[in-house]
Each structure stands twice: as structure tokens, then as C-alpha cells.
Amino acid sequence: MAEPWEGLPQPLADEVAEAWPTVFSSGLPGWVGRESGVSEADLAQAFARSTFLRQVVEQDPDLVADAWQAQPFSEETSPEFLQERWQDYLSVVTDEISLQRALRRFRKESQFRIIWRDLMNWADLAETVAATSAFADTCIQAALDWLYAECCQQLGTPYGTDPETGETIAQPMVVLGMGKLGGRELNVSSDIDLIFAFPSHGETQGGRRSLDNQQFFIRLGQRLIQALDQINADGFVFRVDMRLRPYGQSGALALSFSALETYYQDQGREWERYAMVKARVVAGDQRMGEVLMRSLRPFVYRRYIDFSAFESLRNLKAMINREVRRKGLENDIKLGAGGIREIEFVVQAFQLIRGGRDRELQQRELQVILTVLEELELLPPSVVAELREAYVFLRNLEHALQGIADKQTQLLPDAPLDQARVALTMGFPDWVTFKATLDEHRSKVARHFADIITVDDDDGTKDELDEGWAALWLGELDEQQALQWLQSHGYESSEASLKALADLRNGRSCQTMQSQGRQRLNQFMPVLLEGVTRVDNPSETLARVLQLVEAVLRRTAYLVLLLENPGACGQLIRLCSESPWIASQLAETPLLLDELLNAESLYHPPSKSELQDDLRQQMLRISYDDLEEQMESLRHFKKAHVLRVAASELRGTLPLMKVSDYLTWIAEVVLDHVVEVAFANLVSRHGHPRRADGTVSDTDFAVIGYGKLGGIELGYTSDLDLVFIHNGDPDQSTDGEREIDNSVFYTRLGQRIVHILSTQTPSGLLYEVDMRLRPSGNSGLLVSTLTAFDRYQHNDAWTWEHQALARARGVAGDSDALAAFEAVRHDILCQRRDQEKLRSEVVDMREKMRVNLGTPISAGEPPAVFHIKHDRGGIVDIEFMVQYLMLAHSANHPELTRWSDNIRQLEELGRAGVLPVEDTEQLREAYITLRSTIHRRALQKMNSQVEGGAFPEERKYIQSVWKRVMEG
């Protein structure tokens, strides 16, 4: 008698044969047999295609038997069946814990059924995505129904205005599903993107005390997420992602309809239009949901034909391409070239452009829209047919990949056994045959995407390159000829340049390159050698660019990028000519070359709100749990935007004050996100910190910036002086299964933030972090309560710590905690002080700093160098004068505490009459001159020491004011 696994590819047959006796040690289950619709051969096929299916049969045989009893696997998994089946699970729910268990058991059964039918090809793509989406809808609605009733019982029922009738009614929650869930196209192991909304503001009725409607729905939302997302002994239901809501993770968890409408009308970004195309009410009150969707429709679909959608989708695709290059995701069938995302972009481009005029395009399902595009003659039938075939193939492949282990992935496997599983599921005899068909589909998709979305950057014929440059690079000229060639083309150090070329050409890295990479290098080098002749320092520039060339010898796709984009190559040469610091940044992180593709954005850095939006977009696809990838992406984000600032400063489009503003904004945006990530990580393990009244904390945590960050004066290589404060209740604990004291939670939060910022990864540090300015310095707690911070500042802080507080401000975290810190700072700075004692202590501290950090002075000899910051007449003298005057006079002039930066503090001192306005203006100009010099020298990789006679007028004036103010 033939074994069930006969006919399987040999490696898979061997695996199934080995597992069979263990899984069925007590014999085959009752649901396997001729009458059941599942044969032994079917079972062997299922085990070969999915380790997940095999593990469930082995570890939870009763669940599988019950599932088959409810409905044989040979029958279609309909939305109606899933809703009926949930009722069986709901019947045993008595509390929140049993609700979570029921949902997770229901997930396991449903996943088994859906993955079985899909991988066995008993269901087509339409059934699989419809069943998976309906399962998600059922779970979200079930959890919401139970938890809403529970919250009403505990907190009272929220009441407010019906937006249609104007009557006062009990307010329901509306849950919007975004992305594939919204389009009823969910894949089998997907997370879900949700937005929570409620009709209108008001208060709860019937509870122990009234509660604002928004707070009610935020708490309900938190419990709903926990019911679906929290991992426990039974697993989880769905990973829930709320980052598509207004303002992302920093925004309120639930918003009223009017707040949502206002946000999208006033602040909605182009990429949010793209996300909203698929939005659907997946749970909650459907009538109210339709009211909300009608109000948002004008934001998504413009009345006019809107070709700007092409540009925004191009930008999104460029961002994805950078991610693909950075992570090496060429084998990602969703994000890589010719993948699922490109088909989605093509379809949604037409929806965004014409959806306002052609109402037929205002639908969510991609395959439906493809049909409409053909009917409206917006795409030829042949293109629609190829895109449809590719989409079905790629989505089936996506399910084949995810069904192996019930894991969310779109990467093609490297392991031969998993490759055999995929080929089998997809109906191919082997991996090679399957891969050829896949490549053909991806090639067609990439071609159509390029034809429809991308622009041809070729601006005509390119100048022919003199063959002498190729001969020079390939070593075909003798030494004398080569030197003469370089000299005649303006190379200022021809011998050094010739040696650098020979060292590169003959080096081991170059000699061991594969043929394709070597061919690319041989194409690029003549272009580079000719290109550097257009700057004033060709030899110096060549040496700097060669650092980058050496860095990419194993990743020559970057050379192709420069060859195909002459403008980017020109920007590279110009920037490296002007700044060795930029050259070293590009060599360390070649991915930054992407920033050179768009000169307009390169030389016009984004505002803070645009930075926030950019970071939010980049991080949407990265789970908070994936800390390693979060850290890498943050490092790239920071480096890319700092490069833009440096390029703009070199070109002269940003003055000094703006340079520091932008560098500070970058740090603030990064810190805000780091706090969100660290907080989310800890909440997933321990729950939210509780407050004394039983409510849970959003964060109640503040990051305080001191020094250059606090003073909005960051430079290119500045570290971050930080202090962490929380306003939580130290006597309470968190509300998770693994609860911990709030004080422990916040200490771990601080540790996690420092770890994310300062850990050395392949992309380097995010920022150096200095925590020594916290209460009691290195011997103090990493995170202080606001009360302890206040007490320390009043009773134990030294004068120099109050000086430091003058330059401190809240830079990230909870708005209430930040406001509470500002109140403490204002109170401390406005204390009355003995001015003579204060002056003496400030002068003593200044002298100690000068001795330790300034230029040593020999008797009778003028110093050979001047340290711009620390020597007499330098930057620190101005800073200490300003801090002294603020501490001495804020009691009478509390407005002096308004700012934390020296420039505006000087201006306030002038306005208050503490210092003559002519002094404040001259000190301001001197301060800007000295700081500008430090910035420029940083871009040249030079320190803050200049020749001894530099800045005579500025130094003389600063010293005269110091003498008058500090010694008078």
C-alpha cells in the first residue's frame, strides 16, 4: 500500500515521513478518511506545505476535531459561518480574561481552516482574503461589543449629539480599518491598521462620576487593543497598529468626527489620502460610520483631476526603494521591484487622480478597480490583464510564504526545504521553474509601473567623455603621461592623485570584485575623474570621494545610481569638495547618496512639522517590537536630514541661526519618536502605569534638554544633555499581567531611551547622551519624579546647576509633564538671590572651566591659538554673563525665563533694561560670529581653536563687558 507522502518532492516526503509517527502515535484522527473529505494524502500534502498546520494537529488535536465538526474543511469559509462560529466561543465568555482566551482560540481555529484551504488550493484568492478580512471584522466587533458594555457599566454611558439629527444619544465607537483590512484584502498573517472615532463630545452618564467622552473612548480603545494585541499563553489575535491615526503615535487614541474632519481638511498629507482610499468601517455603528466616511470623502477624492498624486506616489515609492536598498529587500515580493506595492500604486494613482470625477473609482478592492480602469479606457486591456495575473500570483505567493509558519513575511526563502514548500503550494515542479515565472510577472509589473508612475530623467544626449580618462583609470598611460594629463586638467597634487588611483585599482577589494561590479567601477571612475576637474581642488576632492568608492566596492548599485543620475554625481563632487565632514558621512553611510537625487529637497531642509511627517511615514512599516530596525531607521533618518542641513549651510541657503534650529528640530523629532517606541515596548510587557485615580497614564514622562539642545544651538557633532522626569504616582504599579512598580517602569523607560539613542549599531550612534546634569549627577536616579526634581532644585542644587537650568527646556514627552517642568524651572529661576554671592560663585566656576578647558598661558608670551569657546573673550564668557544676569534679575523680571537660548535671552535682558540694548546687540553679533566659525570648522573636520590673533575686536568687547558686569 502506498504511503500518504508518496508523490511529494523527496526532501518534503522525508520530513513528513519522519514526523508522521510522532504526530499520530495514537492513530489517525476521526476527521481523516474517505467520508470526511480529508484523505491521508491530503494530510501529508498539508504537512509538507505548512509546519504551522502540522504543529496545530500535533499540539491541539481537539481544536482541529471541533473545527471540522463545526464545518468540514472542504466547505467554503464564508463570513456568515465565521460569525456563527464565534457565537459558540462567545457562549463561555464571562469576563475580560475569558474574552481574550476565546478570541485567541477562535483565531487558532480560523487560521488553521483558512491556511489549510488556501495552501491546499481548495480556496481561491478571493475566498482567502474575504475570509481573513471577515474573521478580523468579527473579532474586532465581538471584542468591541463586550468591552463597550463593560466600560458603560464601570464608567457610565457616553452621551452626545447625533451628527445627523442633532438629538442627544448614547455615543457609539466607530472603528475604521485601513489598508488591506479596509479593502477586504487582508493576508493570512497580517497585522491590522485601525483608527478609533466617536460622533461628538459630551460626558458619560450613570457612572460614579462623569467622564469626558474622549477619555471614555480612549480607555475603551486601550482595552480593545489589549484584547486583540496582547500576547499571552494562548497567543494573540492580531497585531494592532494605530499609527495611521492623526498625528500618529503622539495623537489621541480616539477622536471625534469633527476633529478627524478638521485634521484631514487642514493638515492631511498626500500619503494620508493614499491610506484613506481603502478606509472602511469594520466595527461599531455602521450608520454613524457612514456619516464619518461621507465627511472624509472630499479629502480623499478631489473634484478636479489631480495629477499631483503621481508626484506623491513617486515620493512614497522612492522612500520604499531606499528602504529596500538599506535592508537588502530585493527578494521582498511586496516592496521590491515589480512587487505587490507597485500594482497597488498604479491602481491608487488613478483613484486619487480621477476618483473625484469618476465615482466608479471610489471603491476599495483592487481587482474591482482594475476592471473599472479597463472599462473607462484608462488602461489598455493587455496591461490590466498582466497586472491582474501578476497580482493574483503574488498574493497567492504571499499566502504560501506566510502559511508556512503563520508568520507575517513577504521575503522569498533561502532554505531549500522552504523553497520546495513554496514551489509545491504554487503548483510548480521545482523552485527554478517557479522562480522563472515569478521573475516574469515582476518584470511586467515593474515595466508598467515605470510607464505609468515614474518619469524619464534622461534630458537628452550626454557629453562624450574623453577616452583619456578611461586610459588614466585603467593604468594604460605611463607615469609621465598620467602626471601630465592630471596637471593639464588642473589637479593640484597630481602625484598624490595618481598614487590614490593606483592604490585603489591594485588593492585587494578591487582585485577580488566580481565581473559586473568591476565593469560598473570601470564605467564610473572616468566620469568621476573628469567631474572633479570642475571644482577648485580636484586632487583633494578626489581623495575624499575615493573614501566612498572604496566603501561601495561590494555594493556597486550605488555606482549605478551615480552613473544614471549625473546631477547626483555633480552634487556629490561639489559637496565633497567643500566639506571633508560630508565626504566622511557619505562614505560611512552610502545610502545617503539617495538624498543627492533631488537637489531641491537637498538644499531646502524640511520644517519641523514636515520632519515629523517624514519620520512618521518612514516608521509606519516598522513594528515597535522590532527595536533593531527602529534603531537603524532612526539613524538613517537623522543622518539624511543632517546632510541636508550641512549642504544648505555650504550653499548659503541657511544662516547660522536656522542651521541650529534645524539640527535641534531633528533631535526633538527623533526624541519624541524614541520616547514613543520605548514606552510602547514597556507597555507591551508590563501594561500602562496607573494613576492614583485608577486611570492609566499616556506617558506622564518628560525629556528635558540642557546645554546646546536646551539652548537650540546644536551643532553637527553635538551630544545631547538630557534629564528625565516623570509625573506618575510612585506608589502605584502597571496594569499588565507582569505588573511592576511605576518607579521601576519609568527607570526602565529611561534606560531604554538611552539604549536606543546611544547603542552602536551598523549605522553608528544616534546621539551621544550625557545624563550628568540630572539631580545628584551620576550618583542620582536616572529618572526623577517631578516632586523630587523640584525639591532638589530648591534645597540641594549648586549655583552652576541653576545656571544650567537657565538653558533647559522640555523637548519631548507628555505635554502635561512638560508644562509642569516649565513651572518648576520658572519658579527656581525667579528666586531672589544675593547678587554679590551669586556673582562670586559664577566667576569662580568660569575660572575653573578656563583653567581646565582653555588654552594654557605662558608668562610673557601671547598664546599661539585662541579657543573660540573656552578662552577669555570667547563664547562661554557670553553664556556665563547671560546666566548670571538671568539668575540675578528674574525675580524682578520674570519674563526673562521665557527663553532658553542665549540670543533671545540677550534680547530680553535688553528689553528689561538689565543690560543696555547696545551691549546686548553687540554681544549678539559677536556670539553669532563665533558660533558661525565653529559650525564652518566642523564641516571642515577642524576643532574650535583658531590662530591666536583671531577676532580681536569681538574678544576685546566681550572682555570689556565681562569686566563691567562680572567684576565691576
Side-chain angles (χ1 to χ4, degrees):
M1 182 177 174
E3 298 289 0
W5 47 85
E6 284 189 17
L8 287 172
Q10 197 58 50
L12 295 175
D14 292 344
E15 183 189 58
V16 173
E18 184 180 349
W20 199 268
T22 306
V23 178
F24 302 122
S25 56
S26 303
L28 289 171
W31 53 271
V32 177
R34 190 169 295 170
E35 280 93 44
S36 71
V38 179
S39 68
E40 290 184 52
D42 291 333
L43 198 55
Q45 284 279 345
F47 282 13
R49 296 168 193 224
S50 171
T51 56
F52 163 73
L53 295 176
R54 186 177 76 220
Q55 286 165 0
V56 174
V57 170
E58 181 176 9
Q59 295 166 9
D60 211 338
D62 291 343
L63 178 136
V64 180
D66 290 345
W68 182 85
Q69 193 67 42
Q71 177 174 290
F73 304 141
S74 56
E75 294 183 20
E76 178 186 349
T77 309
S78 67
E80 294 75 22
F81 165 73
L82 289 167
Q83 289 170 1
E84 289 170 14
R85 184 62 178 142
W86 164 249
Q87 296 304 313
D88 297 333
Y89 281 91
L90 180 62
S91 63
V92 298
V93 173
T94 56
D95 56 21
E96 204 161 343
I97 292 174
S98 59
L99 172 69
Q100 290 193 16
R101 176 169 173 77
L103 285 166
R104 282 150 182 75
R105 297 290 290 170
F106 180 49
R107 178 201 191 267
K108 195 172 188 179
E109 176 189 313
S110 301
Q111 283 292 94
F112 183 90
R113 182 185 301 279
I114 292 168
I115 289 176
W116 177 290
R117 285 184 54 76
D118 185 84
L119 267 56
M120 292 295 288
N121 295 312
W122 294 3
D124 60 10
L125 176 64
E127 180 193 320
T128 299
V129 296
T132 308
S133 302
F135 165 69
D137 290 359
T138 301
C139 290
I140 299 166
Q141 186 67 59
L144 178 60
D145 286 345
W146 200 92
L147 291 168
Y148 181 83
E150 185 79 357
C151 283
C152 287
Q153 188 175 347
Q154 295 172 356
L155 305 171
T157 303
Y159 277 86
T161 305
D162 184 317
E164 280 197 307
T165 67
E167 297 175 6
T168 299
I169 60 166
Q171 295 282 294
M173 178 181 264
V174 171
V175 181
L176 296 186
M178 312 294 283
K180 286 190 168 64
L181 172 59
R184 291 191 175 89
E185 298 164 338
L186 205 60
N187 56 51
V188 295
S189 298
S190 180
D191 56 5
I192 53 175
D193 297 289
L194 304 178
I195 292 177
F196 297 153
F198 59 95
S200 56
H201 286 282
E203 291 185 336
T204 58
Q205 298 177 18
R208 282 180 299 175
R209 60 186 181 87
S210 63
L211 186 69
D212 176 78
N213 280 359
Q214 184 170 36
Q215 287 304 309
F216 175 92
F217 286 108
I218 285 173
R219 293 190 197 179
L220 173 59
Q222 288 168 338
R223 291 172 72 173
L224 178 57
I225 292 168
Q226 194 171 38
L228 298 170
D229 185 275
Q230 190 173 58
I231 299 172
N232 59 29
D234 295 304
F236 67 100
V237 188
F238 283 102
R239 291 171 293 271
V240 178
D241 195 331
M242 300 296 300
R243 288 175 291 175
L244 286 177
R245 71 184 189 267
Y247 306 107
Q249 199 69 11
S250 59
L253 191 63
L255 287 171
S256 68
F257 287 6
S258 61
L260 277 168
E261 185 177 0
T262 300
Y263 171 83
Y264 287 116
Q265 182 177 322
D266 296 346
Q267 300 182 50
R269 310 293 199 267
E270 280 298 316
W271 66 266
E272 287 176 306
R273 283 183 68 205
Y274 168 74
M276 269 287 167
V277 165
K278 286 186 179 293
R280 174 174 65 88
V281 179
V282 296
D285 190 297
Q286 290 291 329
R287 180 180 72 84
M288 286 296 181
E290 181 52 37
V291 173
L292 175 61
M293 294 308 297
R294 279 202 305 270
S295 73
L296 299 181
R297 198 163 288 134
F299 165 68
V300 183
Y301 297 109
R302 306 284 161 82
R303 292 179 183 173
Y304 50 86
I305 295 178
D306 179 19
F307 286 103
S308 67
F310 276 135
E311 183 61 30
S312 59
L313 287 170
R314 256 186 235 114
N315 293 337
L316 270 174
K317 180 58 181 170
M319 186 174 74
I320 291 168
N321 288 346
R322 288 195 292 274
E323 184 181 357
V324 167
R325 277 197 289 272
R326 182 169 57 81
K327 297 184 190 174
L329 297 178
E330 288 78 10
N331 282 331
D332 189 306
I333 62 160
K334 177 181 177 183
L335 300 180
I340 295 167
R341 183 55 55 84
E342 289 190 357
I343 303 174
E344 293 172 341
F345 274 18
V346 166
V347 169
Q348 285 170 312
F350 284 105
Q351 287 184 278
L352 292 174
I353 291 163
R354 295 182 173 272
R357 296 274 296 274
D358 297 317
R359 299 291 293 272
E360 309 97 303
L361 291 169
Q362 294 184 18
Q363 301 183 68
R364 300 180 182 91
E365 294 86 348
L366 185 141
Q367 293 201 66
V368 172
I369 301 297
L370 277 174
T371 302
V372 173
L373 291 175
E374 182 178 348
E375 290 171 351
L376 294 176
E377 299 183 351
L378 293 172
L379 282 179
S382 60
V383 172
V384 169
E386 289 185 351
L387 289 175
R388 189 190 303 280
E389 287 171 19
Y391 181 74
V392 171
F393 185 91
L394 289 167
R395 290 301 308 275
N396 282 332
L397 172 57
E398 184 178 36
H399 293 152
L401 296 171
Q402 295 180 350
I404 292 173
D406 187 20
K407 291 225 174 110
Q408 186 178 21
T409 181
Q410 282 92 12
L411 281 174
L412 295 174
D414 295 320
L417 205 57
D418 285 339
Q419 289 180 346
R421 294 188 217 282
V422 171
L424 177 65
T425 301
M426 295 297 291
F428 290 87
D430 54 52
W431 178 259
V432 174
T433 313
F434 153 76
K435 187 68 165 49
T437 303
L438 170 63
D439 291 345
E440 186 180 344
H441 280 302
R442 291 182 68 174
S443 174
K444 289 175 182 176
V445 171
R447 186 176 74 251
H448 294 315
F449 178 81
D451 289 344
I452 296 165
I453 300 289
T454 57
V455 223
D456 186 359
D457 289 326
D458 188 3
D459 56 359
T461 57
K462 298 175 182 174
D463 295 334
E464 290 294 323
L465 201 62
D466 193 309
E467 291 181 1
W469 294 111
L472 173 69
W473 160 244
L474 295 171
E476 294 171 356
L477 306 180
D478 63 37
E479 184 176 353
Q480 198 56 41
Q481 287 175 314
L483 289 172
Q484 286 177 352
W485 178 274
L486 289 168
Q487 289 162 4
S488 67
H489 286 87
Y491 279 75
E492 75 277 18
S493 301
S494 55
E495 291 185 2
S497 296
L498 190 62
K499 182 178 184 304
L501 291 174
D503 289 347
L504 174 64
R505 189 172 57 245
N506 300 324
R508 176 170 174 75
S509 296
C510 194
Q511 292 293 320
T512 55
M513 291 178 76
Q514 294 181 352
S515 58
Q516 185 189 51
R518 186 59 187 259
Q519 184 181 359
R520 290 171 173 175
L521 180 66
N522 290 344
Q523 284 179 280
F524 175 72
M525 285 305 298
V527 173
L528 171 63
L529 290 167
E530 190 274 336
V532 297
T533 62
R534 301 193 183 113
V535 295
D536 295 334
N537 51 343
S539 291
E540 191 173 38
T541 303
L542 176 66
R544 292 171 182 173
V545 178
L546 288 184
Q547 298 174 59
L548 169 68
V549 173
E550 290 186 57
V552 301
L553 289 179
R554 290 287 175 270
R555 294 171 288 173
T556 54
Y558 289 112
L559 300 182
V560 176
L561 182 150
L562 292 169
L563 283 167
E564 292 182 351
N565 296 276
C569 191
Q571 300 296 348
L572 168 69
I573 291 167
R574 195 179 77 76
L575 290 171
C576 289
S577 167
E578 296 182 7
S579 171
W581 182 83
I582 287 181
S584 65
Q585 290 294 299
L586 291 167
E588 287 172 15
T589 312
L591 189 63
L592 293 175
L593 289 172
D594 280 322
E595 301 302 318
L596 309 184
L597 294 173
N598 187 334
E600 185 176 347
S601 64
L602 177 64
Y603 295 109
H604 296 88
S607 66
K608 184 174 180 181
S609 62
E610 290 168 333
L611 280 169
Q612 291 168 327
D613 192 51
D614 185 22
L615 181 59
R616 186 176 158 206
Q617 280 189 68
Q618 289 191 32
M619 301 311 238
L620 277 175
R621 284 180 299 280
I622 306 171
S623 164
Y624 277 166
D625 295 333
D626 191 351
L627 198 56
E628 182 180 342
E629 187 53 39
Q630 286 277 347
M631 289 164 69
E632 284 296 297
S633 294
L634 281 167
R635 280 151 178 76
H636 175 69
F637 171 84
K638 180 218 172 180
K639 286 184 175 183
H641 285 290
V642 169
L643 174 66
R644 290 190 191 183
V645 174
S648 300
E649 182 174 12
L650 287 172
R651 175 170 275 199
T653 55
L654 275 187
L656 165 73
M657 298 296 292
K658 287 294 181 185
V659 169
S660 287
D661 284 353
Y662 277 100
L663 293 174
T664 304
W665 291 342
I666 293 166
E668 289 172 357
V669 169
V670 165
L671 282 167
D672 252 331
H673 185 77
V674 168
V675 172
E676 288 173 11
V677 172
F679 189 78
N681 280 177
L682 286 170
V683 166
S684 69
R685 296 180 183 184
H686 305 293
H688 287 79
R690 289 192 191 93
R691 296 178 177 133
D693 63 0
T695 63
V696 295
S697 158
D698 288 334
T699 62
D700 289 344
F701 182 84
V703 179
I704 312 304
Y706 277 69
K708 289 181 180 175
L709 176 60
I712 317 176
E713 296 168 358
L714 280 186
Y716 293 106
T717 57
S718 298
D719 58 5
L720 302 183
D721 293 298
L722 302 178
V723 169
F724 298 147
I725 293 172
H726 78 86
N727 208 11
D729 188 333
D731 296 325
Q732 297 291 322
S733 60
T734 61
D735 67 351
E737 284 190 358
R738 290 182 287 173
E739 85 174 54
I740 54 175
D741 290 344
N742 282 356
S743 56
V744 175
F745 180 95
Y746 284 112
T747 298
R748 291 185 185 175
L749 178 59
Q751 291 168 337
R752 182 63 57 90
I753 291 168
V754 173
H755 171 76
I756 294 171
L757 292 170
S758 59
T759 295
Q760 190 79 34
T761 75
S763 296
L765 292 173
L766 195 48
Y767 287 100
E768 290 273 9
V769 176
D770 192 334
M771 301 292 299
R772 289 175 295 176
L773 288 173
R774 67 185 188 267
S776 302
N778 282 339
S779 62
L781 294 173
L782 184 67
V783 184
S784 298
T785 65
L786 184 70
T787 304
F789 180 83
D790 187 11
R791 186 169 56 244
Y792 177 85
Q793 293 292 338
H794 275 97
N795 302 329
D796 301 309
W798 297 83
T799 296
W800 65 264
E801 289 178 287
H802 287 174
Q803 286 181 249
L805 196 62
R807 282 166 62 80
R809 64 189 178 89
V811 292
D814 176 71
S815 57
D816 291 338
L818 291 169
F821 162 76
E822 290 299 338
V824 170
R825 174 180 177 270
H826 177 81
D827 185 45
I828 295 297
L829 295 181
C830 288
Q831 285 181 322
R832 296 200 175 275
R833 293 172 170 84
D834 181 328
Q835 292 197 13
E836 287 307 314
K837 181 184 176 190
L838 173 66
R839 185 179 357 223
S840 172
E841 289 174 345
V842 172
V843 169
D844 286 349
M845 177 56 68
R846 177 70 189 102
E847 286 307 311
K848 286 178 185 174
M849 283 185 65
R850 204 188 320 274
V851 169
N852 290 324
L853 301 172
T855 304
I857 300 175
S858 303
E861 292 183 20
V865 296
F866 168 61
H867 196 298
I868 298 172
K869 283 183 64 177
H870 295 297
D871 283 350
R872 209 176 295 276
I875 284 175
V876 176
D877 278 355
I878 299 176
E879 292 174 346
F880 269 54
M881 279 192 284
V882 170
Q883 290 159 16
Y884 160 70
L885 291 169
M886 283 188 65
L887 293 174
H889 296 281
S890 288
N892 295 327
H893 300 283
E895 69 273 14
L896 295 178
T897 68
R898 182 179 177 190
W899 307 112
S900 61
D901 60 287
N902 274 286
I903 296 296
R904 286 183 291 192
Q905 287 174 344
L906 273 168
E907 292 169 353
E908 286 293 344
L909 289 167
R911 271 194 286 272
V914 173
L915 204 59
V917 171
E918 55 268 28
D919 280 341
T920 62
E921 288 179 351
Q922 282 193 253
L923 287 172
R924 179 182 182 278
E925 292 308 310
Y927 190 74
I928 290 173
T929 299
L930 296 176
R931 277 193 54 223
S932 297
T933 304
I934 290 178
H935 270 276
R936 286 194 300 272
R937 289 177 68 83
L939 291 176
Q940 300 305 318
K941 298 181 82 170
M942 300 167 76
N943 62 24
S944 297
Q945 291 180 317
V946 294
E947 56 92 14
F951 307 109
E953 296 301 321
E954 288 85 355
R955 290 159 66 182
K956 182 179 177 183
Y957 184 76
I958 293 167
Q959 289 179 61
S960 72
V961 180
W962 176 274
K963 190 166 185 179
R964 186 166 10 111
V965 172
M966 306 304 293
E967 299 173 9

